[in-house]
Structure formats: structure tokens, C-alpha cells
């Protein structure tokens, strides 16, 4: 994706903020910018053309990578043995320290394309700090997405990945599709997700979201007034993020309940199934009584207790598989993925309420 001039300027500002936070936050004396690097950090950008902006953007990327490498190397340094201690041991106990042959150098592991789990978590934290500093007072309103190429026509509500995913596994974080947006440095993405997260904690979130989706459902019905196919408006809860607390989960249950008489359906992929179990236990309800179709998101490193919990609640299961390993047993391939269509165009299994259990798999992409 080619960035426009104003987007490049925003990315350059973002890089500078992240570099400054790293240098100041780590407090290591050896992290000092050279005179040339200092010029990069203060260079004006308003009068630069596209080529100059790209050059500056790439130079700042390289600088950030260099500083990250320095921090990593510093953390891995071993403290050298002390000659004075060795002499003292020899004099007191006759113990002579033998010189050990240097350990063979370990081959450096190739880092995954989008970094380690720790770096991914740090990146999200950096991005959210940056987003929070850039939010203006009049921007605090719920952001409902209208889907991308893969989610055509589907309304979406997203909050920050990782930070709001209490049950995320290591594989989940490493394969998280939402994190790719963060590595592409789309600060407008992290900003809107952060605003949604703040809004979701407000006391009037249920009321605001109900009104917003009510309007979306009515607009959908008007647009499809003369269509023979009266498909409901589909809402996907969390393209990124997950239910981060019991209270937040129950807010969405109430929102969906408020809209049960409208031509609207809710779908959600989640790992936070402990909140669902707590709710069902407290209310005596069945999972089918909730006006949301939940898909338990499962990875190879998902703990068995959560798999058993999903099975106990008769949840639908959604997993991702490596094409080299082939389709896992007991699952059916996502039709839209197989036919390379937009989600919801070939089937509606992840969103429609049904008494039939569905185990669906999609190739890792």
C-alpha cells in the first residue's frame, strides 16, 4: 500500500515519538543519537516532497531498528567473571579456576516477520500511548466500521488487539491479523480502536451503541427495500480485540437483546468464554438464548480446559490451519475463504443463529 504525503508525515511523527519514548524510557547511557541522527529527529517535514518524505521515513525506520537491536543486545549481555574473586578462592581454598573453552556461538534465530510476542505487545502499547496523546475532545464517539474488501457490507466494532485479549495464546498473538495494521503504522486504526475502548467503559455505552446500530439497521432496510433478498444487517463484534471483562461482555449481551426485533444479526469470534460461562451460570440461560452467535476461536496451543468449556456449552468452533498440514479432522472449510469471496457472500454460518453445531476452519493468511 502506497502512503500519501499527509499519511507519510503522520508516520514520521509517529516514528519520532516512538524513538523518543524508547530512548527516554530505557535510560541506558549508551543510547545516544549522533549529530546526523539528531538532525533526522528534528528535520522539518512540511516542505518536503514525496521522495524526500519516503527517504526520511526509511531512515527513521532504520534508526528505530538500530535502537531496538541495541536494547536487545544490552539485555542479553552476560556479566564477566571477576578475577579478584578467582584469586581469593585460590588463596583461601587452593581452588584454581580452569579456563573454559569459549562456548560455540549460537546461530541467531530468524525473527518472525512481525516480531516476537514481547515486541508485538510493546508495539501495541507504544501505539496506544501515541493514539491517546493525539485524541481531541470532540473525537470521543463510537466508531463503527463498514467492512473492508473481505467484510463487504458487514458493520464492525473493534478495540485494540492484545491489550484487550485476556485469553490470547502465544500462537494467537503471533498470527494476529489485526496486528499487521499496527506494523503498517496505520495510526488512524489504533486511534479509532483506542477511542472505542474508552467509549466501551462508559456507563452509557449500551445506550449509545444501541442507538448507533438501530440507525444502521434502518438504513440497511431502506437500501434493500426493493430487494427480494431481505438479508439482515450483519454486525461483527471485534475484528480486533475481545471481551476484556465480565461487565463489558454483558454490555454486548444487553445491546444485542435491545435489537432483537430489528433486522440485524450479531457474530463474534472469541476466546473469552469464561465470561460466557459465568453469565449462563448466573442467569440459568442457554448459549442459544443470547442474541449473538459466538464462535470459539481455537489455536493449537489453546489450553484443554477452555476446549472442554466450549464443548460443555456446545459452542461453535472456529480455527485456522496451515495449508501444509491440511484441513483438520471434524472441520469444514470456510466457503468464502475457499471461493475467495467476501465474508458472508457465500455463506452466513458464522453469524446466523442455528441449533446445529458448526466447526469451521480457515487457512492461515
Amino acid at each position: 500500500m502506497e502512503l500519501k504525503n499527509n499519511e507519510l508525515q503522520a508516520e514520521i511523527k509517529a516514528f519520532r515519538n516512538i524513538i523518543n519514548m524508547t530512548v527516554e524510557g530505557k535510560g541506558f547511557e549508551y543510547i545516544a543519537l549522533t549529530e546526523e541522527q539528531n538532525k533526522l529527529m528534528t528535520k522539518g517535514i512540511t516542505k518536503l516532497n514525496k521522495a524526500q518524505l519516503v527517504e526520511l521515513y526509511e531512515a527513521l525506520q532504520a534508526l528505530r531498528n538500530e535502537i531496538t537491536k541495541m536494547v536487545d543486545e544490552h539485555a542479553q549481555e552476560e556479566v564477566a567473571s571477576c578475577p579478584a574473586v578467582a584469586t581469593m578462592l585460590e588463596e583461601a581454598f587452593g581452588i584454581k579456576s580452569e579456563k573454559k573453552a569459549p562456548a560455540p556461538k549460537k546461530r541467531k534465530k530468524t525473527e518472525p516477520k512481525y516480531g516476537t510476542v514481547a515486541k508485538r505487545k510493546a508495539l501495541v502499547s507504544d501505539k496506544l500511548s501515541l493514539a491517546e496523546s493525539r485524541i481531541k475532545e470532540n473525537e470521543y464517539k463510537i466508531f463503527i466500521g463498514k467492512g473492508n474488501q473481505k467484510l463487504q457490507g458487514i458493520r464492525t466494532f473493534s478495540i485494540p488487539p492484545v491489550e484487550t485479549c485476556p485469553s490470547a495464546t502465544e500462537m494467537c498473538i503471533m498470527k494476529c491479523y489485526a496486528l499487521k495494521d499496527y506494523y503498517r503504522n496505520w495510526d488512524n486504526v489504533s486511534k479509532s480502536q483506542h477511542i472505542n475502548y474508552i467509549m466501551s467503559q462508559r456507563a452509557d455505552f449500551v445506550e449509545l451503541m444501541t442507538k448507533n446500530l438501530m440507525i444502521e439497521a434502518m438504513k440497511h432496510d431502506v437500501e434493500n427495500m426493493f430487494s427480494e433478498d431481505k438479508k439482515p444487517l450483519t454486525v461483527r463484534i471485534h475484528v480486533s480485540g475481545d471481551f476484556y471483562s465480565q461487565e463489558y461482555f454483558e454490555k454486548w449481551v444487553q445491546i444485542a437483546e435491545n435489537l432483537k426485533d430489528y433486522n440485524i444479526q450479531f457474530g463474534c469470534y472469541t476466546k473469552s468464554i469464561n465470561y460466557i460461562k459465568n453469565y449462563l451460570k448466573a442467569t440459568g440461560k442457554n448459549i442459544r438464548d443470547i442474541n449473538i452467535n459466538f464462535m470459539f476461536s481455537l489455536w493449537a496451543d489453546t489450553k484443554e480446559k477452555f476446549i472442554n468449556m466450549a464443548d460443555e456449552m456446545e459452542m461453535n468452533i472456529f480455527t485456522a490451519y496451515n495449508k501444509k498440514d491440511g484441513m483438520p479432522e471434524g472441520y469444514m472449510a470456510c466457503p468464502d475463504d475457499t471461493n475467495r469471496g467476501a465474508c458472508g457472500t457465500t455463506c452466513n454460518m458464522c453469524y446466523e443463529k442455528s441449533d446445529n453445531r458448526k466447526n469451521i476452519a480457515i487457512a492461515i493468511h
Side-chain angles (χ1 to χ4, degrees):
M1 178 181 172
E2 188 177 348
L3 296 175
K4 297 176 183 176
N5 282 29
N6 62 334
E7 291 173 326
L8 277 166
Q9 289 178 356
E11 298 305 324
I12 287 166
K13 289 177 184 176
F15 266 121
R16 286 174 174 168
N17 281 331
I18 292 169
I19 290 168
N20 280 328
M21 282 192 288
T22 305
V23 173
E24 292 169 11
K26 299 300 177 186
F28 297 137
E29 292 179 3
Y30 62 85
I31 297 183
L33 302 183
T34 64
E35 186 178 343
E36 190 174 335
Q37 289 168 339
N38 271 316
K39 286 180 182 178
L40 283 178
M41 295 294 289
T42 55
K43 190 170 185 177
I45 58 175
T46 54
K47 295 182 180 179
L48 298 185
N49 60 33
K50 180 69 175 283
Q52 291 169 323
L53 284 169
V54 170
E55 187 180 350
L56 179 58
Y57 175 75
E58 290 174 347
L60 286 167
Q61 270 188 319
L63 176 57
R64 188 189 176 195
N65 291 339
E66 182 185 330
I67 291 173
T68 302
K69 186 179 178 183
M70 289 169 70
V71 172
D72 288 347
E73 287 174 353
H74 180 84
Q76 293 168 9
E77 284 178 2
E78 293 183 4
V79 179
S81 59
C82 179
V85 172
T87 303
M88 181 184 73
L89 289 171
E90 186 176 349
E91 289 176 354
F93 305 104
I95 300 172
K96 291 186 178 181
S97 58
E98 296 179 3
K99 289 185 178 179
K100 293 182 180 179
K105 288 185 178 179
K106 292 182 180 179
R107 289 184 66 181
K108 193 172 182 180
K109 290 183 180 179
T110 305
E111 192 174 285
K113 185 177 179 181
Y114 292 107
T116 61
V117 169
K119 284 187 178 180
R120 285 168 166 243
K121 288 182 176 180
L123 175 72
V124 173
S125 181
D126 283 350
K127 282 284 186 180
L128 293 181
S129 296
L130 181 61
E132 190 166 11
S133 69
R134 293 171 60 188
I135 299 172
K136 297 173 184 175
E137 191 61 38
N138 63 349
E139 292 181 303
Y140 283 101
K141 53 188 176 183
I142 292 171
F143 178 81
I144 296 174
K146 295 190 176 178
N148 53 21
Q149 190 175 357
K150 193 167 178 61
L151 298 173
Q152 289 176 10
I154 293 178
R155 301 298 184 266
T156 63
F157 178 82
S158 290
I159 53 180
V162 182
E163 292 268 329
T164 64
C165 303
S167 299
T169 67
E170 186 171 314
M171 277 190 75
C172 177
I173 295 171
M174 292 305 296
K175 300 293 182 182
C176 179
Y177 188 76
L179 276 179
K180 293 181 182 180
D181 287 349
Y182 279 71
Y183 276 88
R184 289 172 182 150
N185 297 297
W186 293 355
D187 288 315
N188 58 328
V189 173
S190 53
K191 185 177 177 181
S192 64
Q193 290 174 357
H194 190 63
I195 291 172
N196 276 351
Y197 176 56
I198 292 170
M199 296 298 291
S200 73
Q201 298 172 70
R202 285 176 40 159
D204 60 350
F205 175 67
V206 172
E207 180 186 354
L208 292 172
M209 182 56 77
T210 299
K211 286 180 180 177
N212 272 273
L213 291 179
M214 195 181 292
I215 293 168
E216 292 293 331
M218 288 190 288
K219 282 165 59 179
H220 172 80
D221 286 345
V222 170
E223 289 167 3
N224 293 277
M225 187 181 295
F226 302 106
S227 172
E228 291 181 9
D229 188 359
K230 300 296 182 183
K231 280 186 177 180
L233 175 70
T234 299
V235 175
R236 176 171 167 181
I237 307 169
H238 305 144
V239 175
S240 69
D242 203 345
F243 299 114
Y244 56 81
S245 71
Q246 187 71 41
E247 181 185 8
Y248 174 59
F249 166 75
E250 292 182 17
K251 284 180 180 181
W252 270 108
V253 172
Q254 187 59 56
I255 292 164
E257 182 65 21
N258 292 345
L259 295 163
K260 66 179 180 181
D261 295 327
Y262 285 78
N263 189 27
I264 184 170
Q265 61 183 6
F266 294 88
C268 179
Y269 306 94
T270 181
K271 288 184 177 61
S272 299
I273 61 173
N274 53 315
Y275 300 138
I276 303 176
K277 184 178 179 181
N278 292 342
Y279 176 79
L280 297 180
K281 187 177 179 180
T283 60
K285 292 183 178 181
N286 183 284
I287 197 166
R288 302 288 182 259
D289 296 328
I290 303 174
N291 191 30
I292 300 171
N293 190 49
F294 298 104
M295 300 292 291
F296 174 47
S297 179
L298 181 146
W299 285 94
D301 60 345
T302 299
K303 290 182 180 178
E304 192 173 351
K305 69 175 183 178
F306 291 113
I307 298 173
N308 294 336
M309 194 184 295
D311 191 53
E312 180 189 329
M313 291 188 286
E314 298 185 342
M315 285 188 72
N316 299 321
I317 297 176
F318 186 89
T319 193
Y321 68 96
N322 193 316
K323 286 184 179 179
K324 292 179 183 177
D325 301 328
M327 176 67 60
E329 189 178 348
Y331 287 82
M332 66 169 288
C334 166
D336 287 329
D337 181 50
T338 305
N339 299 321
R340 296 187 178 181
C343 184
T345 56
T346 308
C347 82
N348 198 29
M349 290 187 297
C350 289
Y351 301 100
E352 64 183 359
K353 296 291 288 183
S354 170
D355 292 331
N356 298 321
R357 293 189 67 183
K358 301 180 284 286
N359 291 342
I360 302 170
I362 188 170
I364 294 173
H365 56 290

